Protein backbone atom coordinates (compact mmCIF):
# COMPACT_ATOMS: atom_id res chain seq x y z
CA UNK A 1 0.00 0.00 0.00
CA UNK A 2 1.02 3.60 -0.44
CA UNK A 3 3.06 5.56 2.01
CA UNK A 4 1.08 8.51 3.31
CA UNK A 5 -2.56 7.58 3.43
CA UNK A 6 -4.91 10.48 4.07
CA UNK A 7 -8.09 10.32 6.03
CA UNK A 8 -10.83 11.19 5.30
CA UNK A 9 -10.89 10.77 1.54
CA UNK A 10 -13.43 13.55 1.26
CA UNK A 11 -14.61 16.29 3.58
CA UNK A 12 -17.39 18.82 3.16
CA UNK A 13 -17.75 21.74 5.58
CA UNK A 14 -19.25 25.22 5.77
CA UNK A 15 -17.23 28.39 5.44
CA UNK A 16 -15.82 29.46 8.77
CA UNK A 17 -15.52 25.92 10.11
CA UNK A 18 -12.22 24.17 10.73
CA UNK A 19 -11.05 21.30 8.53
CA UNK A 20 -8.80 18.53 9.80
CA UNK A 21 -7.08 16.01 7.58
CA UNK A 22 -4.94 13.14 8.75
CA UNK A 23 -2.04 11.29 7.19
CA UNK A 24 -0.47 8.03 8.24
CA UNK A 25 2.81 6.58 7.05
CA UNK A 26 4.70 3.38 7.59
CA UNK A 27 8.44 4.07 7.68
CA UNK A 28 10.78 6.41 9.53
CA UNK A 29 10.91 9.83 7.96
CA UNK A 30 13.14 12.89 7.92
CA UNK A 31 10.30 15.26 7.18
CA UNK A 32 6.73 15.29 5.95
CA UNK A 33 5.24 17.77 3.54
CA UNK A 34 1.72 18.88 2.73
CA UNK A 35 0.65 20.00 -0.72
CA UNK A 36 -2.54 21.42 -2.11
CA UNK A 37 -4.02 20.83 -5.56
CA UNK A 38 -6.83 22.81 -7.09
CA UNK A 39 -8.89 20.74 -9.48
CA UNK A 40 -6.70 19.48 -12.32
CA UNK A 41 -3.90 21.93 -11.56
CA UNK A 42 -0.37 21.58 -10.29
CA UNK A 43 0.40 20.89 -6.68
CA UNK A 44 1.46 23.74 -4.47
CA UNK A 45 3.62 23.25 -1.41
CA UNK A 46 1.98 24.31 1.84
CA UNK A 47 4.21 23.34 4.72
CA UNK A 48 7.09 21.05 5.67
CA UNK A 49 7.54 19.64 9.14
CA UNK A 50 10.75 17.96 10.23
CA UNK A 51 10.84 14.75 12.22
CA UNK A 52 12.11 16.60 15.30
CA UNK A 53 9.20 19.07 15.21
CA UNK A 54 5.82 18.37 16.76
CA UNK A 55 3.83 21.30 15.47
CA UNK A 56 4.19 24.00 12.85
CA UNK A 57 2.03 26.95 11.86
CA UNK A 58 1.67 28.91 8.66
CA UNK A 59 -1.15 31.45 8.56
CA UNK A 60 -4.40 29.50 9.00
CA UNK A 61 -2.60 26.18 8.68
CA UNK A 62 -1.45 24.07 11.57
CA UNK A 63 0.43 20.83 11.05
CA UNK A 64 1.25 18.32 13.73
CA UNK A 65 3.53 15.34 13.56
CA UNK A 66 3.53 12.35 15.86
CA UNK A 67 6.46 10.14 14.93
CA UNK A 68 5.55 7.55 17.56
CA UNK A 69 2.19 7.01 15.87
CA UNK A 70 3.59 7.67 12.40
CA UNK A 71 0.90 10.21 11.70
CA UNK A 72 0.44 13.85 10.83
CA UNK A 73 -2.55 16.14 10.70
CA UNK A 74 -3.30 19.31 8.78
CA UNK A 75 -5.75 21.75 10.33
CA UNK A 76 -7.17 24.62 8.30
CA UNK A 77 -8.87 27.11 10.57
CA UNK A 78 -11.71 29.44 9.58
CA UNK A 79 -12.00 27.82 6.18
CA UNK A 80 -12.99 29.76 3.07
CA UNK A 81 -14.57 28.67 -0.19
CA UNK A 82 -11.17 29.27 -1.81
CA UNK A 83 -9.72 26.47 0.34
CA UNK A 84 -11.71 23.97 -1.75
CA UNK A 85 -9.02 21.66 -3.14
CA UNK A 86 -7.35 18.30 -2.64
CA UNK A 87 -4.68 18.06 0.03
CA UNK A 88 -1.84 15.58 -0.04
CA UNK A 89 0.79 14.57 2.42
CA UNK A 90 4.13 13.46 1.03
CA UNK A 91 7.17 11.77 2.46
CA UNK A 92 10.36 10.11 1.31
CA UNK A 93 9.69 6.38 1.31
CA UNK A 94 13.28 5.36 0.70
CA UNK A 95 16.20 7.78 0.57
CA UNK A 96 17.83 5.61 -2.08
CA UNK A 97 14.97 6.25 -4.50
CA UNK A 98 15.10 10.04 -4.67
CA UNK A 99 11.32 10.24 -4.78
CA UNK A 100 8.67 12.08 -2.84
CA UNK A 101 5.79 9.65 -2.39
CA UNK A 102 2.34 11.18 -2.20
CA UNK A 103 -0.69 9.87 -0.40
CA UNK A 104 -4.07 9.48 -2.02
CA UNK A 105 -5.28 12.87 -0.84
CA UNK A 106 -8.26 14.39 0.93
CA UNK A 107 -10.80 16.27 -1.19
CA UNK A 108 -12.01 19.26 0.76
CA UNK A 109 -15.19 21.08 -0.25
CA UNK A 110 -15.93 24.32 1.57
CA UNK A 111 -19.52 25.46 1.07
CA UNK A 112 -20.05 29.23 1.00
CA UNK B 1 8.38 34.74 -12.04
CA UNK B 2 9.88 31.50 -10.74
CA UNK B 3 8.03 28.65 -12.38
CA UNK B 4 7.97 25.26 -14.03
CA UNK B 5 6.48 25.40 -17.51
CA UNK B 6 5.01 22.39 -19.26
CA UNK B 7 3.82 22.08 -22.81
CA UNK B 8 1.44 21.12 -24.20
CA UNK B 9 -1.18 21.56 -21.50
CA UNK B 10 -3.64 19.37 -23.38
CA UNK B 11 -3.03 16.81 -26.08
CA UNK B 12 -5.11 14.16 -27.80
CA UNK B 13 -3.09 11.74 -29.88
CA UNK B 14 -3.32 8.26 -31.34
CA UNK B 15 -1.62 5.03 -30.41
CA UNK B 16 1.95 4.79 -31.64
CA UNK B 17 2.49 8.43 -32.56
CA UNK B 18 5.62 9.62 -30.79
CA UNK B 19 5.22 12.68 -28.64
CA UNK B 20 7.25 14.84 -26.30
CA UNK B 21 6.04 16.80 -23.33
CA UNK B 22 8.45 19.60 -22.56
CA UNK B 23 9.32 20.86 -19.11
CA UNK B 24 11.39 23.91 -18.35
CA UNK B 25 12.26 25.62 -15.06
CA UNK B 26 13.82 29.02 -14.53
CA UNK B 27 15.01 28.56 -10.96
CA UNK B 28 18.39 26.90 -11.60
CA UNK B 29 17.11 23.78 -9.87
CA UNK B 30 19.24 20.66 -9.93
CA UNK B 31 16.50 18.11 -9.24
CA UNK B 32 13.66 17.51 -11.68
CA UNK B 33 11.01 14.82 -11.80
CA UNK B 34 8.01 13.61 -13.76
CA UNK B 35 4.84 12.30 -12.14
CA UNK B 36 1.63 10.95 -13.55
CA UNK B 37 -1.67 11.27 -11.72
CA UNK B 38 -4.48 8.80 -12.23
CA UNK B 39 -7.80 8.46 -10.36
CA UNK B 40 -7.50 6.00 -7.53
CA UNK B 41 -3.74 5.65 -7.99
CA UNK B 42 -2.56 9.07 -6.89
CA UNK B 43 0.72 10.54 -8.08
CA UNK B 44 3.39 8.15 -9.21
CA UNK B 45 6.91 9.07 -10.16
CA UNK B 46 8.00 8.20 -13.70
CA UNK B 47 11.59 9.44 -13.89
CA UNK B 48 13.78 11.87 -12.05
CA UNK B 49 17.04 13.68 -12.62
CA UNK B 50 19.52 14.73 -9.98
CA UNK B 51 21.42 17.00 -12.37
CA UNK B 52 22.48 17.37 -15.99
CA UNK B 53 23.05 14.00 -17.64
CA UNK B 54 21.94 12.15 -14.48
CA UNK B 55 18.56 10.46 -14.75
CA UNK B 56 16.98 7.47 -13.09
CA UNK B 57 13.77 5.47 -13.11
CA UNK B 58 10.91 6.11 -10.76
CA UNK B 59 8.03 3.80 -9.95
CA UNK B 60 6.45 3.59 -13.40
CA UNK B 61 9.09 4.21 -16.10
CA UNK B 62 7.83 1.70 -18.69
CA UNK B 63 6.95 3.32 -21.99
CA UNK B 64 8.71 6.60 -21.20
CA UNK B 65 12.10 8.15 -21.85
CA UNK B 66 13.68 11.32 -20.54
CA UNK B 67 16.78 13.34 -21.15
CA UNK B 68 18.57 16.08 -19.23
CA UNK B 69 20.98 17.78 -21.59
CA UNK B 70 20.53 21.19 -19.99
CA UNK B 71 19.83 22.08 -16.41
CA UNK B 72 16.59 23.90 -17.15
CA UNK B 73 14.91 21.32 -19.42
CA UNK B 74 13.64 17.83 -18.70
CA UNK B 75 11.45 16.55 -21.56
CA UNK B 76 9.30 13.44 -21.24
CA UNK B 77 9.21 11.31 -24.36
CA UNK B 78 6.57 8.74 -25.23
CA UNK B 79 8.09 6.80 -28.12
CA UNK B 80 4.97 4.77 -28.89
CA UNK B 81 2.06 5.97 -26.76
CA UNK B 82 -0.65 3.54 -25.73
CA UNK B 83 -4.10 4.17 -24.22
CA UNK B 84 -2.86 3.19 -20.75
CA UNK B 85 -0.64 6.28 -20.85
CA UNK B 86 -3.69 8.50 -20.87
CA UNK B 87 -3.12 10.53 -17.75
CA UNK B 88 -2.39 13.90 -16.17
CA UNK B 89 1.35 14.50 -16.15
CA UNK B 90 3.27 16.81 -13.86
CA UNK B 91 6.83 18.01 -14.01
CA UNK B 92 8.37 19.21 -10.76
CA UNK B 93 11.70 20.64 -9.71
CA UNK B 94 13.61 21.38 -6.56
CA UNK B 95 16.83 23.22 -5.77
CA UNK B 96 18.32 19.87 -4.82
CA UNK B 97 17.27 16.64 -3.20
CA UNK B 98 18.12 17.74 0.32
CA UNK B 99 14.47 17.42 1.34
CA UNK B 100 14.94 13.70 1.07
CA UNK B 101 17.61 13.85 3.72
CA UNK B 102 15.88 16.28 6.03
CA UNK B 103 16.49 19.55 4.23
CA UNK B 104 13.83 22.18 3.67
CA UNK B 105 13.78 22.53 -0.11
CA UNK B 106 10.48 21.49 -1.63
CA UNK B 107 9.08 20.64 -5.03
CA UNK B 108 7.69 23.25 -7.38
CA UNK B 109 5.17 21.76 -9.79
CA UNK B 110 4.16 22.69 -13.30
CA UNK B 111 0.50 23.23 -14.15
CA UNK B 112 0.13 19.77 -15.66
CA UNK B 113 -0.29 18.22 -19.10
CA UNK B 114 -3.45 16.26 -19.77
CA UNK B 115 -2.71 13.57 -22.33
CA UNK B 116 -5.27 11.38 -24.04
CA UNK B 117 -4.12 8.48 -26.21
CA UNK B 118 -6.82 7.02 -28.46
Amino acid sequence: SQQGEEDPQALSIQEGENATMNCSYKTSINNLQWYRQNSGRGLVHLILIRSNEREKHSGRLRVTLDTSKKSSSLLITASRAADTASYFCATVLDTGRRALTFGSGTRLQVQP
Amino acid sequence: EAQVTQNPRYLITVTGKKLTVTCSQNMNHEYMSWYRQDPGLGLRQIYYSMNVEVTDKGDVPEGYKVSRKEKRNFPLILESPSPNQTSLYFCASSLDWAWGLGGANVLTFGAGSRLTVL
Side-chain angles (χ1 to χ4, degrees):
Chain A
S1 60
Q2 280 191 23
Q3 182 87 328
E5 297 293 336
E6 284 92 343
D7 167 54
Q9 289 188 349
L11 182 60
S12 182
I13 59 174
Q14 298 293 126
E15 251 187 341
E17 293 180 339
N18 295 341
T20 300
M21 289 157 262
N22 303 297
C23 167
S24 62
Y25 57 92
K26 291 188 169 70
T27 63
S28 296
I29 60 170
N30 290 312
N31 60 49
L32 184 141
Q33 304 180 34
W34 285 89
Y35 286 78
R36 164 194 167 127
Q37 182 182 31
N38 286 74
S39 181
R41 305 299 301 273
L43 282 79
V44 174
H45 177 260
L46 295 176
I47 198 163
L48 178 151
I49 186 165
R50 289 196 168 95
S51 59
N52 62 354
E53 297 175 313
R54 290 296 167 259
E55 188 169 309
K56 201 161 182 181
H57 295 256
S58 178
R60 293 184 296 112
L61 305 181
R62 184 181 82 128
V63 168
T64 61
L65 180 64
D66 187 335
T67 54
S68 65
K69 294 181 180 176
K70 292 188 168 56
S71 68
S72 174
S73 68
L74 170 67
L75 168 67
I76 303 174
T77 60
S79 62
R80 306 166 181 166
D83 293 327
T84 294
S86 291
Y87 293 83
F88 297 86
C89 66
T91 64
V92 175
L93 185 70
D94 174 356
T95 56
R97 285 186 53 242
R98 312 290 199 268
L100 196 60
T101 301
F102 289 81
S104 50
T106 292
R107 280 195 321 279
L108 174 65
Q109 177 78 38
V110 182
Q111 308 284 353
Chain B
E1 181 190 349
Q3 60 186 356
V4 176
T5 304
Q6 297 179 225
N7 280 296
R9 293 289 315 283
Y10 302 92
L11 179 64
I12 300 174
T13 189
V14 295
T15 299
K17 187 175 180 183
K18 180 179 178 179
L19 69 93
T20 299
V21 186
T22 64
C23 173
S24 180
Q25 48 90 8
N26 61 0
M27 297 167 280
N28 202 35
H29 283 175
E30 291 187 350
Y31 179 91
M32 297 186 76
S33 181
W34 277 102
Y35 286 85
R36 60 178 287 176
Q37 186 177 31
D38 303 287
L41 296 174
L43 284 111
R44 294 176 292 169
Q45 190 188 50
I46 304 171
Y47 269 94
Y48 67 91
S49 170
M50 297 289 284
N51 211 326
V52 176
E53 302 294 357
V54 181
T55 63
D56 208 347
K57 296 176 181 177
D59 292 321
V60 288
E62 295 78 20
Y64 304 95
K65 284 174 58 176
V66 292
S67 68
R68 188 92 183 270
K69 297 189 172 84
E70 305 164 284
K71 198 170 189 177
R72 64 183 294 126
N73 295 324
F74 190 44
L76 180 70
I77 303 156
L78 286 74
E79 292 272 2
S80 182
S82 62
N84 65 12
Q85 292 179 297
T86 291
S87 187
L88 180 57
Y89 291 87
F90 290 102
C91 180
S93 73
S94 177
L95 185 64
D96 53 35
W97 192 70
W99 42 262
L101 302 171
N105 295 321
V106 298
L107 287 175
T108 300
F109 279 80
S113 296
R114 188 170 292 281
L115 171 65
T116 301
V117 183
L118 301 175

